[in-house]
Structures are given as structure tokens and as C-alpha cells.
Amino acid sequence: MRIGLFATCLGDTLFPDAVRATALLLSRLGHELVFPPDQTCCGQMHLNTGYQREPVPLIRNFAEQFGDTSIDAVVMPSGSCAGCVRHQHMTVADRYGDAALRAGVAAVKDKTYELSEFLVDVAGTVDVGAYFPHRVTYHPTCHSLRMLRVGDKPLRLLREVEGIDLVELPEADACCGFGGTFAVKNAATSSAMLADKLDHVTSTGAAVCTAGDSSCLMHIGGGLSRISSGTRTLHLAEILAATHTAPHALTEAAR
Amino acid sequence: MSSTFLGMPARPPRSPYGEGHLRGDQAFPQAAARELGNRQLRDNLHKATRTIRAKRLAVTAELPDWEELRSAGAALKNEAMSRLPELLEQLEAKVTEAGGTVHWARDAAEANALVAELVAATGSREVIKVKSMATQEIGLNEYLESQGVTAHETDLAELIVQLADDRPSHILVPAIHRNREEIRRIFLERIPGVDPDLTSVPAELAAAARAYLREKFMTVPVAVSGANFGIAETGTLSVVESEGNGRMCLTLPKTLITVMGIEKVLPRYADLEVFLQLLPRSSTGERMNPYTTLWTGVTPGDGPQEFHLVLLDNGRTAALADAVGREALNCIRCSACLNVCPVYERVGGHAYGSTYPGPIGAVLTPQLAGTHAAKDDPNASLPYASTLCGACYDACPVKIDIPSLLVELRHQTTERTGRGAEQLAMKAVAAVMGRPKLYRAAQKAAAIGRIAAGRDGTISRLPPPLSGWSESRDTPAPPRRTFRDWYASEEGRRALAAAAEHQDLDETPEGER
């Protein structure tokens, strides 16, 4: 398939490894990648903080960059950005947009997928030929879980990874407390939620906590780093992209 | 346009500022930080919400048509809201026909004054009360006290809260923040003549409250209740409860005064079938609540001989006028959203400053009371008291899309507040993100953040407003190279080409075109 790769602003700027892994994985699976160079951001931070006028140009740009009908699917390594595109762009287009924006948003949102959804539902595969011989626990991020309803798709992909020791995360579906600007506006409450998540992650003894959203992983990873935990975070794409010939180089400490 | 324009509806009234309990004295982040300091509270909440959560999941899972029931509940509530004026008039006619008296109260002040007058007319200086969110919302107990009338809460948890001079912190379990030992101490101090050897065994505590309350049931001639449902078709009112105290209040006294929010009206008697399944399963995690009391007007020689229904607006028509926010009025006060909310679980109900805590409170309170009355109105912080995790939406028996409503209320807040520092920053970020060239330049500038990182590649301290974040989380240094730079580089091209070539080594997915 011809796939429009959306790096997301956070992925492009702060977590390029996750996007790189997504690109390599999709290429390995035989897909043709398109990276519209003028892509920027889906506007999620604005929308969820209460700004709907401001992200109109962002939403317009997103629809333009990926509107090309030769692109079969738009794929991104982020459940929350996919949720924003699929469920929130139209709200703004209805309120502040014109007919062209509404049409553009409608056309793009129906072919937008978070990575695990694309692999399982669209590409129809659960075994991506990955090799990752480490103990891993999976945190289902809230927007993947409840906005996109990805269900156990990420877990089905992980279970097929060769060598993996997949351990269940206690109270996995509890929010990690990130919530975008919530972590700044309600820092104390966010920290209390994070503390419980960190307890659960470290209780698994996993070398890696993975998820489908770099933002939640930034939160959990930032906490794990602060408590000098032996567990580190890796995006789901980084595990799925690892193979025998190109294994993921975990640091010695995390092995 | 002239200033008087006939036909233009007046702005619907909000709950008046400073009346009742729809506003705390601190913004949510500060109030939450205060509550987070109470370790006992967090432990109590953790234990209690977890227990109710598990019970609710078990009893909702056993109904094969649970999702259809939720949809039916949502549809019936939407119908009621869209026909509200008509249904309320029908309710009034039917209640009157059955021998009751209907009163209309625009706000808390009117409702309180009405109830006080009705009580005064009976000559009683005491009332017994059925647990009721509406009377809590308007601060009726405090108002009656100011008029020399003592209101006795008869629900066990409400009684605990009242005896402790405390405020409820949960819709269903008002004393959820208290444990047995605390309750024992409260009873010892406050219940006259209680056994000094009282232990903290729940059955003993309940017996002590029972003995105290029994005397009130037998002697006080006036009861005040709320209503879970009011049926327009028949004029029937309904209260559902667990302890039987409600049944006592609704049947023993001579006079019954019911304060009902106007959003509680349902079109038909048959609609109860849906809600009497949805409410207990979502609320207490029971298949059926132990006591459901239904009454229609008065019956000579049986039950209260005088019945007054006070229909309370207090900001509800203002909420109804909001095309998006009105969905919050569908709430049936089950508290399922509180019990699944990770924010509520950490901070408890008092942090929300309102009678309505938790996710539904965060949307309902600002709508009923407004956020405009004062510049630093604590209620303006409530729509931000959520990570938008969506657990509340999944739990809601009438499918109120609380996360979307929160996002809408945030939008309304930013539209109203004008040019704050945050708004300017958001505009600036949007301006950059909206222009791909500027965006790429900004990415380069962000890489300078590497300087702020130590040798370990993490940033452990950030300036305000990000200092709260960096108090408990490290931030990775921006990487040397963005993804797009790698993608455009020779190295990126080679890596992607190599990955594409190796596809045969791995399983080629099915459905590939």
C-alpha cells in the first residue's frame, strides 16, 4: 500500500527513533512510504487545552498534506494524534471551517490509523517478523484504548514477537496522568497518578515498558528516569521494528 | 438593532453567586494539592472506589443488553430534555390532580425560602431528610438552620458527614473519605447517649445510628426529600435508596416536601423500567436497590397527607440553552464516573468545591453556576481537572460524552477569558505549526535544548510554567537530528531501502497489494 507517514510534531522533534522504527517497519512489510515534507502537527494540544480557533490552519494543512488520493492510508505512531484526527478535526471544521475544509477533513479522517490498527486491521498481519529478546510490559494509552478502541491489537502484535517475555502490567488501563497540559496545570495530581503507574511498571520487573504513544511514554519514562529505575520506555514501533539482522540495542543496564 | 428587541429570549439565569454549594474557595489545582497531602484520604478512596468499580463491572457484564440499555437511557433523557417545558407542565398538572402542590423555584434562594415557609406553616422546628443532591446543592440545611429549623440527615453516610460538620465528598457515598475508626470517634462525640464502649465494627456503628435515627423518624412530622425521577404522565415521584431510611421519611411524616431539579422529569411511567436497571447497577453495583419508593400525590389515611413538590431550576435552563453542554443534564447521579476517575481517586470530592464532584461535576458545576461571576472563579478550573482519559464516558449509564464536554467547556473558557499568557503562547505555537518553514526553523531551535541537558542527556529542571512537570519527571534532551532530517538524509534513504529489500526474510503480510 501507499502510506502517508505522519511523524507527529512530538515524534519528529523529540522522539525520532519511534518514527524511524515506524518507517523501517512499514518499509520492511513492503509498503511504499510517502512523507509529505510540509506536515507539521495535528493540533491536539490546542484542541485539548481549549483552543479551537487557533489550530484551524494546522487542521487545514494536515488535510492538504495527506489529502492526495494516491495515499491509501495515513499511519502514525500515536493513538492520541490518530484519535484527534479521526474524532476532533471535524468538530473544528464544523465550527470554524468552510465547505472545502470539511470535505478535506472527512476524506482524510477515514483513512487515518494508529500503527497497530493499521497493521492488524488494514494490512491484516499480527506477525511482523520482529525479534526482541527482553522482558516487556505494555501500557495501553487512554486515547488508543477508549477513543480509537484498539483493544488488544498491540498485544496481539507483541505476542508474536520472537524471544519476547511479555508480562502483564497491573491496573494497565489506568491513566498514567499525563493528559497533555494536565501534567502542567495539575502537576501535583498528575504526579500522584504517575507514582502509582511507576509502582506498577517496576513491579513487573520488565526491562521495557512500551506503548503506542510517545507522549505517555515521555511521562512514564520521565518518571522512571527520575527514580533511577532499571526499566526504560520504548515505543511499540521500536520493538516491532527490531529483527535478528537489526536488533534493538538496549543499554546494558536495561538488559 | 434597538436595545429592546421583542422575541429575543432573555439569558437564562445561572445559579446565583455565593448561594448554595456550587463553588469552592480554591481553584482545583490548589484544592487538589491540599487534598493530596492527606494520605488517609487517598487510602480510603483507593479502597472504596476499587471495590465499587469491581462490583459495577460484575453486574453490568451479566446483562447481555447492557449497551442497548445505555442507549435507551440516553435516548429517553434526550427526549425529556427536548420536551422539558411541556413535560414539566404535565407533571405539575398530574401532581396537582393527585392532591399535591407544585412550586417553582428559579434558584437556590427561592427554593430555600419556599421550603422554609412550608416548614414554618407546619409549626415544626425539625425536619428529617432523605439524602438528596438537590437540597445539598442549594444549601438547604444551612438555610433552615438560619431560620431556626434543624434538619436531620437520615442516610447513614450523610448523617456521619453532618455530625462531623463536614461536607459530602461523593454523590453516592458522601462519607467515602472517612474510615470506620473516624466514624466511631464522630459518633462517640456527637450522638447523645451513645454507648461509650462503641467499637468500629460496622454492624455496631450502624446500630448506634439506627437507634438515634429511629427516634427522629417517630417524632418529626415533616420530611424533605429530593427525587430520582418525576413521571410527567402520572405525576409520580420516585426515590431509590439502600437503607430504608428514605422509605421511613417518605411514609411516616404528615408533610412531605420534595425538591426536584427540573431535569429529573421522565415522560412515561414505563421509562422507569430502563432507569431502575441502569441506576443501581451503575451506582452501587447492585442488581436492584433495596428500596424503591413511588408516590403519586396524597392518599387519605396513608402516608403524608400534605405533599409539596418544589421544581428547581438553579442554572438548569442555562445549561439546557447550551447546545453542546446540555448533555450533562442527562446525568442520573449514579456516581459511576467518580468511581472510575483516576483524578477523583487521588484527590477526592472536596477538591472540586461543589456538591457535584468528579468528572460529571467538572462539566455540570460550571454550567449551573457559570464561571463568569468573578475573575478568578474556582469553577473555571474545573474543566481542566481531567486527563481526558475517557473512563467516565465508558462507565456512564446514559452515555454522556464527558471528555468531549470538558473539551467544549475549555474552549468556552478560553474564548471568554481573552488574552492570557497561555492564549498568546498557544497562538504563537499555532502560528509556527501552521507554517511548515517556520516549524522547521523552530525544530532546529528546539535542538538547542540539548545545552540544558546534563551529561546524562536529560533535563531535570524546567522554568515556570513547566516547573511542576519537572518536579517529578526528567525530560529527554532533544535529539541531534529530527526524523525528517534523517528521512531526507542519505543514511535514511539507504536504511529504508535496505528494510524494503529484507522484506522477504520476514513474513509478507496477507492482504498486501
Side-chain angles (χ1 to χ4, degrees):
Chain A
M1 289 178 84
R2 201 170 140 83
I3 294 174
L5 176 64
F6 179 52
T8 78
C9 60
L10 191 73
D12 189 9
T13 312
L14 273 187
F15 298 97
D17 287 351
V19 196
R20 187 154 50 216
T22 307
L24 291 170
L25 172 65
L26 292 170
S27 294
R28 191 175 85 212
L29 296 174
H31 299 287
E32 183 192 347
L33 284 190
V34 191
F35 185 83
D38 281 349
Q39 62 173 283
T40 58
C41 162
C42 68
Q44 187 197 165
M45 180 186 76
H46 285 90
L47 280 169
N48 285 348
T49 311
Y51 297 88
Q52 295 193 9
R53 270 177 215 278
E54 290 76 3
V56 171
L58 278 62
I59 292 168
R60 198 182 298 280
N61 185 52
F62 185 88
E64 280 168 7
Q65 296 306 313
F66 295 100
D68 188 337
T69 49
S70 76
I71 293 176
D72 300 310
V74 184
V75 178
M76 56 199 73
S78 164
S80 60
C81 298
C84 179
V85 171
R86 283 234 293 269
H87 298 285
Q88 293 180 288
H89 276 194
M90 197 48 106
T91 308
V92 178
D94 279 341
R95 187 172 245 157
Y96 295 116
D98 44 40
L101 181 60
R102 286 197 294 277
V105 165
V108 175
K109 82 180 178 70
D110 290 337
K111 61 176 182 183
T112 290
Y113 303 94
E114 173 272 341
L115 178 63
S116 74
E117 278 183 314
F118 172 79
L119 293 172
V120 176
D121 290 348
V122 186
T125 183
V126 285
D127 185 352
V128 296
Y131 169 70
F132 193 80
H134 304 283
R135 176 176 271 221
V136 174
T137 196
Y138 168 72
H139 166 66
T141 61
C142 297
H143 287 176
S144 293
L145 195 67
R146 303 196 185 90
M147 212 177 201
L148 296 178
R149 308 277 169 197
V150 298
D152 67 346
K153 284 162 205 162
L155 284 170
R156 284 163 65 193
L157 290 159
L158 285 170
R159 280 186 209 117
E160 297 300 324
V161 172
E162 192 188 337
I164 199 168
D165 174 16
L166 193 58
V167 284
E168 198 180 323
L169 179 64
E171 297 188 25
D173 59 2
C175 178
C176 71
F178 176 59
T181 47
F182 176 84
V184 176
K185 285 176 185 283
N186 285 285
T189 309
S190 171
S191 294
M193 292 164 70
L194 176 62
D196 291 345
K197 182 58 76 179
L198 297 181
D199 280 348
H200 291 137
V201 169
T202 51
S203 78
T204 64
V208 169
C209 173
T210 190
D213 246 296
S214 294
S215 53
C216 308
L217 288 175
M218 175 173 73
H219 189 231
I220 297 170
L224 289 170
S225 163
R226 181 59 57 90
I227 61 171
S228 303
S229 159
T231 311
R232 58 170 294 187
T233 50
L234 274 187
H235 193 281
L236 176 68
E238 293 180 76
I239 292 174
L240 299 181
T243 61
H244 278 286
T245 46
H248 195 284
L250 271 185
T251 60
E252 280 304 315
R255 270 172 201 268
Chain B
M1 197 192 293
S2 76
S3 60
T4 49
F5 175 55
L6 292 175
M8 184 75 93
R11 247 179 110 83
R14 301 272 185 185
S15 162
Y17 199 81
E19 193 85 36
H21 299 301
L22 287 177
R23 192 174 268 103
D25 48 14
Q26 268 182 319
F28 184 83
Q30 285 74 45
R34 179 191 72 212
E35 300 294 316
L36 279 166
N38 185 345
R39 186 73 232 183
Q40 179 74 61
L41 170 100
R42 270 169 76 184
D43 289 347
N44 295 351
L45 282 171
H46 186 72
K47 219 173 142 190
T49 56
R50 188 145 317 190
T51 308
I52 310 176
R53 220 150 55 201
K55 277 174 75 182
R56 182 186 64 85
L57 281 178
V59 297
T60 56
E62 68 187 19
L63 284 190
D65 61 346
W66 180 248
E67 288 310 311
E68 287 81 1
L69 272 171
R70 287 176 75 210
S71 298
L76 288 170
K77 277 303 210 175
N78 286 336
E79 183 198 347
M81 292 314 139
S82 62
R83 297 173 55 203
L84 200 56
E86 169 204 340
L87 292 175
L88 288 171
E89 285 182 20
Q90 191 185 359
L91 178 69
E92 177 182 36
K94 289 292 173 183
V95 169
T96 309
E97 213 174 275
T101 309
V102 176
H103 312 262
W104 299 79
R106 261 179 303 194
D107 56 32
E110 281 191 10
N112 284 335
L114 257 164
V115 174
E117 265 175 50
L118 293 169
V119 175
T122 67
S124 175
R125 311 296 280 174
E126 288 177 288
V127 300
I128 47 176
K129 284 193 69 207
V130 189
K131 177 178 154 32
S132 135
M133 298 307 289
T135 60
Q136 188 64 240
E137 169 190 328
I138 60 177
L140 179 66
N141 291 7
E142 293 82 348
Y143 182 80
L144 288 178
E145 199 183 337
S146 75
Q147 303 299 304
V149 175
T150 308
H152 302 285
E153 292 290 351
T154 65
D155 172 86
L156 181 55
E158 288 284 359
L159 175 69
I160 293 163
V161 169
Q162 188 181 36
L163 291 175
D165 290 325
D166 196 357
R167 275 169 71 167
S169 66
H170 188 282
I171 289 175
L172 170 74
V173 201
I176 195 167
H177 56 294
R178 300 284 193 174
N179 65 15
R180 291 177 203 175
E181 187 44 40
E182 290 175 283
I183 294 165
R184 185 185 75 94
R185 282 200 299 268
I186 293 165
F187 280 9
L188 280 177
E189 278 173 30
R190 294 300 176 94
I191 294 183
V194 76
D195 177 3
D197 296 329
L198 181 72
T199 74
S200 61
V201 174
E204 253 191 66
L205 294 172
R210 183 187 170 91
Y212 170 75
L213 288 171
R214 185 56 56 118
E215 191 250 327
K216 303 291 172 204
F217 290 133
M218 302 309 288
T219 56
V220 178
V222 185
V224 176
S225 84
N228 289 99
F229 309 104
I231 309 296
E233 180 185 52
T234 56
T236 304
L237 278 296
S238 176
V239 165
V240 298
E241 39 115 14
S242 298
E243 296 167 17
N245 65 299
R247 175 69 55 84
M248 301 279 233
C249 291
L250 296 162
T251 51
L252 286 172
K254 278 198 210 113
T255 301
L256 171 61
I257 303 165
T258 297
V259 181
M260 179 184 117
I262 53 173
E263 84 285 11
K264 296 279 185 176
V265 70
L266 289 177
R268 294 157 297 264
Y269 198 85
D271 300 336
L272 283 172
E273 179 253 338
V274 172
F275 292 101
L276 292 180
Q277 294 187 71
L278 287 174
L279 183 53
R281 284 182 198 258
S282 304
S283 184
T284 51
E286 294 166 300
R287 297 187 179 101
M288 189 72 208
N289 50 289
Y291 294 89
T292 299
T293 306
L294 299 166
W295 71 99
T296 310
V298 294
T299 306
D302 184 17
Q305 295 301 292
E306 206 179 318
F307 170 54
H308 295 273
L309 175 62
V310 179
L311 292 171
L312 174 73
D313 184 325
N314 207 34
R316 284 160 176 78
T317 51
L320 192 67
D322 185 319
V324 179
R326 65 188 298 176
E327 198 183 329
L329 289 179
N330 289 2
C331 174
I332 58 173
R333 315 282 189 262
C334 72
S335 73
C337 63
L338 277 60
N339 300 327
V340 298
C341 178
V343 174
Y344 178 90
E345 186 185 330
R346 302 313 187 296
V347 304
H350 291 159
Y352 296 80
S354 159
T355 295
Y356 304 108
I360 190 64
V363 286
L364 195 57
T365 300
Q367 293 200 84
L368 295 178
T371 57
H372 54 285
K375 204 166 181 296
D376 291 318
D377 188 338
N379 283 352
S381 65
L382 289 180
Y384 296 93
S386 164
T387 62
L388 307 177
C389 86
C392 48
Y393 186 18
D394 280 7
C396 179
V398 290
K399 291 190 172 174
I400 300 173
D401 185 354
I402 297 174
S404 294
L405 296 185
L406 288 167
V407 168
E408 169 64 22
L409 286 186
R410 291 176 185 187
H411 170 65
Q412 292 180 12
T413 305
T414 60
E415 286 285 289
R416 216 171 23 237
T417 46
R419 305 174 59 80
E422 180 189 279
Q423 189 148 30
L424 290 175
M426 286 287 173
K427 276 195 203 313
V429 171
V432 170
M433 298 278 198
R435 293 176 183 78
K437 266 188 201 157
L438 273 182
Y439 172 71
R440 286 191 286 268
Q443 282 186 318
K444 293 211 163 61
I448 296 170
R450 297 177 63 75
I451 297 162
R455 247 175 302 172
D456 58 352
T458 61
I459 302 165
S460 52
R461 230 193 210 153
L462 288 164
L466 300 172
S467 43
W469 162 273
S470 61
E471 238 163 61
S472 54
R473 310 143 187 102
D474 289 336
T475 309
R480 212 167 272 117
R481 192 152 65 164
T482 60
F483 169 75
R484 66 179 64 222
D485 284 347
W486 174 82
Y487 187 86
S489 70
E490 187 54 36
E491 182 196 336
R493 263 194 295 275
R494 271 208 304 268
L496 286 166
E501 270 172 37
H502 281 92
Q503 62 173 293
D504 290 338
L505 294 177
D506 305 306
E507 263 185 52
T508 303
E510 294 161 35
E512 197 67 55
R513 317 223 194 298

